[in-house]
Amino acid sequence: MLFHVKMTVKLPLDMDPAKAAQLKADEKELAQRLQQEGKWRHLWRIAGHYANYSVFDLPSVEALHDTLLQLPLFPYMDIEIDGLCRHPSSIHSDDR
Ligand SMILES: O=C(O)CC1=CCC(=O)O1
């Protein structure tokens, strides 16, 4: 199943910079692992915002929920999710 996910990061302004840097480094490590595993298909910065649009390929809503909960920045993100299905006019035969 494909999911379009918008993540908006809202770190507290008074967060210790070292803690923020560690959270971002841990987030990057997990994000890159999930991309290598084919679970996090797309990761795009939204220009002008500390936010991203992502596409996840996971077997269920529960798997998506569990994956998002693992993200180190999860406690500091607003997350919006849309489930994706094939558009009848799409020319692609797979889910690219
Ligand atoms: O910077 C972001 O948008 C949050 C984030 C997701 C994966 C990552 O490395 O950072």
Side-chain angles (χ1 to χ4, degrees), residues 7 9 27-28 31 40 43 45 50-52 73:
M7 303 178 205
V9 184
E27 180 87 8
K28 181 174 183 175
W40 195 326
L43 173 55
R45 176 64 72 220
Y50 189 9
N52 71 74
L73 287 174

Side-chain angles (χ1 to χ4, degrees), residues 2 4-6 16 23 32 37 44 46 48 53-55 60 62 64 68 72 76 81 84 87 90:
L2 294 177
H4 182 268
V5 179
K6 180 182 182 183
D16 173 25
L23 282 169
Q32 293 190 333
E37 293 172 355
W44 295 93
I46 303 173
Y53 285 128
S54 290
V55 175
S60 65
E62 288 78 11
L64 176 66
L68 295 174
Y76 307 102
I81 298 167
L84 302 177
H87 192 288
S90 173

